[in-house]
Amino acid sequence: EEDKQHGYGVETLQDGAKYDVQYRLGKKQGNGNFKWADGSEYTGNFLENNIHGKGVYKWSDGRILDGQWMNNKIHGFGKFRWPDGRQYTGEYVEDKKEGQGTFEWFV
């Protein structure tokens, strides 16, 4: 409709970042993958161009956040792991740990 992206597509930005995602009427929607130029990566759901729903974000330094997202922020249940093995599993509200959760350190 009106020459908008619709269906599966790959979009590569000038800095080398790359979307590999479903489009609906010109907006990223559904399952997809985004790789930033620094090597960080998100794989999961998008809704109207935002990270939204279940997904995994991997930073280039090895940190991983697997959980629920809302409007580009971790929101709901999630698991954050650091490269050294530490992890937090619990609730998030708009990118902040809030509510029930457990930190684990390995010595």
Side-chain angles (χ1 to χ4, degrees), residues 7-11 18-24 27-36 40-58 65 67 69 72:
Y8 171 77
V10 176
E11 179 180 1
K18 180 177 166 184
Y19 283 101
D20 187 349
V21 68
Q22 293 287 326
Y23 289 87
R24 185 170 189 268
K27 295 184 178 179
K28 294 162 189 74
Q29 185 138 335
N31 290 322
N33 176 271
F34 182 71
K35 291 183 181 180
W36 281 262
S40 297
E41 177 177 12
Y42 171 80
T43 302
N45 294 320
F46 289 84
L47 178 65
E48 296 194 356
N49 287 335
N50 292 310
I51 293 173
H52 194 97
K54 177 85 173 98
V56 179
Y57 190 106
K58 297 178 181 179
L65 182 48
W69 299 80
N72 298 321

Side-chain angles (χ1 to χ4, degrees), residues 70-84:
M70 185 172 72
N71 297 322
N72 298 321
K73 295 181 179 180
I74 188 76
H75 190 86
F77 185 81
K79 180 183 247 184
F80 192 107
R81 290 174 291 203
W82 287 265
D84 65 4

